[in-house]
Amino acid sequence: MKNVSGYIDVAFCLIVLPMMVMIFPVERWFHNFQWYVITVGLWLYALYFVNRMLTVPLLFRSARCRWEGIVLILLSLIVTYLLSQISLYTPKPNVHDEGIVRIFPSIQQYQQAVWSLFMIVEAFSFAVGLLTQANLQKSRRRAVEAERDKAEIELYKAQIKPHFMFNTLNSLYGLFLTHDDKALESLEKYISMMRYVHNTSRRDFMPLSDEADYIQQYVALQSLRLNGMTTVTMNIDIENATLQIPPMLLVTFVENCFKHGISPVEESNISIMLVEKKGKLYFATDNRIFPVKRIGEHMGIENCRKRLELLYPGAHTMDIESDGVYYHVKLEIDL
């Protein structure tokens, strides 16, 4: 909008105002009263830019600033009045005017020109100024909303890390408690994953391939503590590995599968699909439901839902279905 306002200023100064001036016999006035025509012309240009850049912005600020803007408007009226009251000549009676009734017989043509051009400049400058201020306020609202959304996203990112760490450490604790041979291997994988979490802490997006590798590591870590009762199937197919995605977004749904979808005594199956084709991400998980009550049970899914709404408004769909026995998640994102 800043560039557009500049173009309007140039058009007004070089085209609109000169055309309005040419309606009046300015050439005759300039020949006889050069100093007056130049003074009025400079005043009209100054009035336009004072209104555009000072008077109108003041009217959009605090009450005190609005009063300052009103004072500037009154001053512009006073200056224009003083210019129009300068007596350039005493008109001679014209015999051809006999019988013609003039509405304002005491107002000369040059005075009418001053007030007419003043009204044109005043109206045009206020119209452009109001349009500029309206767009500035809209831009500021958008900037405030963007900052608010960014802060909210950062909050969700900060929440998901301790949430993930709590659940993973809980799994490691179980392995060490039972003196499982896979405990040390699980700890090594956990350290590797924490390195990834640390590296992504200051980044808003990561390559999709890196996030997919992280999910595979997470599945491998969780699979170490599974017995033969749980089967895990995973399908990952990515066409463009350089596409960006928010870190720690999809793994929440995978984590949910292992948190609620395994049992030491009943058979279960966990299915994970991650496919990217032509810039669109298709992600789905399926698992059985074994009731487990843990701290922050629903925080992870709600966290991801809100992050998706903030990051991909209108560019994603997420369907979650549960019949009490199976839990299905389907997510599509236009990357």
Side-chain angles (χ1 to χ4, degrees), residues 74-289:
L74 294 175
L75 286 176
S76 67
L77 287 168
I78 293 172
V79 173
T80 304
Y81 173 79
L82 294 176
L83 286 173
S84 67
Q85 292 303 304
I86 295 176
S87 179
L88 299 180
Y89 59 87
T90 302
K92 297 179 180 180
N94 193 333
V95 296
H96 299 289
D97 290 343
E98 294 180 2
I100 299 176
V101 179
R102 298 180 60 184
I103 299 176
F104 301 106
S106 62
I107 299 179
Q108 304 305 316
Q109 190 177 23
Y110 72 91
Q111 295 172 322
Q112 296 176 13
V114 170
W115 281 108
S116 298
L117 293 173
F118 169 79
M119 296 303 297
I120 291 172
V121 171
E122 196 81 355
F124 203 92
S125 61
F126 266 80
V128 178
L130 290 172
L131 179 64
T132 303
Q133 290 301 313
N135 280 275
L136 283 174
Q137 289 202 347
K138 186 184 294 183
S139 299
R140 287 168 185 163
R141 284 197 299 270
R142 289 176 180 172
V144 170
E145 291 173 358
E147 288 299 321
R148 182 196 63 197
D149 292 346
K150 183 178 179 180
E152 194 170 349
I153 290 170
E154 290 299 323
L155 174 63
Y156 294 145
K157 285 172 61 178
Q159 288 177 346
I160 201 67
K161 290 168 188 175
H163 179 68
F164 159 78
M165 292 174 62
F166 172 81
N167 288 287
T168 307
L169 285 173
N170 187 60
S171 300
L172 287 174
Y173 174 75
L175 293 176
F176 279 99
L177 192 64
T178 57
H179 303 286
D180 196 300
D181 295 336
K182 302 174 183 178
L184 289 178
E185 184 181 355
S186 299
L187 181 60
E188 291 177 0
K189 289 185 178 294
Y190 176 74
I191 294 173
S192 176
M193 294 170 65
M194 286 300 98
R195 188 177 296 111
Y196 175 84
V197 172
H198 174 73
N199 293 336
T200 62
S201 60
R202 296 184 180 180
R203 299 185 59 176
D204 295 328
F205 291 89
M206 290 292 293
L208 181 58
S209 58
D210 291 354
E211 191 71 9
D213 291 341
Y214 178 76
I215 291 175
Q216 288 178 312
Q217 291 183 35
Y218 180 83
V219 172
L221 171 63
Q222 295 296 329
S223 298
L224 290 174
R225 66 185 181 90
L226 299 179
N227 54 26
M229 304 300 295
T230 303
T231 303
V232 180
T233 58
M234 186 163 52
N235 175 29
I236 296 180
D237 184 10
I238 299 174
E239 286 186 350
N240 187 355
T242 61
L243 286 174
Q244 303 287 301
I245 191 171
M248 304 288 293
L249 180 69
L250 303 179
V251 73
T252 303
F253 300 100
V254 178
E255 177 193 5
N256 191 70
C257 292
F258 285 93
K259 186 167 64 173
H260 298 285
I262 61 175
S263 171
V265 295
E266 295 186 45
E267 292 186 356
S268 63
N269 179 68
I270 295 175
S271 175
I272 302 167
M273 181 192 73
L274 174 57
V275 177
E276 179 275 319
K277 290 185 178 180
K278 297 181 180 180
K280 289 194 174 182
L281 174 69
Y282 303 92
F283 178 78
T285 63
D286 293 279
N287 62 274
R288 279 194 62 184
I289 300 175

Side-chain angles (χ1 to χ4, degrees), residues 22-75:
M22 295 308 295
I23 296 176
F24 303 94
V26 67
E27 292 183 1
R28 175 165 57 87
W29 295 337
F30 187 79
H31 178 73
N32 296 318
F33 313 103
Q34 185 176 7
W35 65 271
Y36 184 79
V37 174
I38 293 176
T39 301
V40 173
L42 292 175
W43 163 243
L44 292 174
Y45 280 114
L47 177 65
Y48 175 81
F49 286 104
V50 167
N51 284 340
R52 269 266 291 105
M53 299 180 178
L54 187 59
T55 305
V56 176
L58 285 173
L59 295 176
F60 276 78
R61 296 177 186 171
S62 62
R64 178 181 177 181
C65 291
R66 282 195 291 271
W67 278 109
E68 292 175 357
I70 293 173
V71 170
L72 286 177
I73 295 174
L74 294 175
L75 286 176

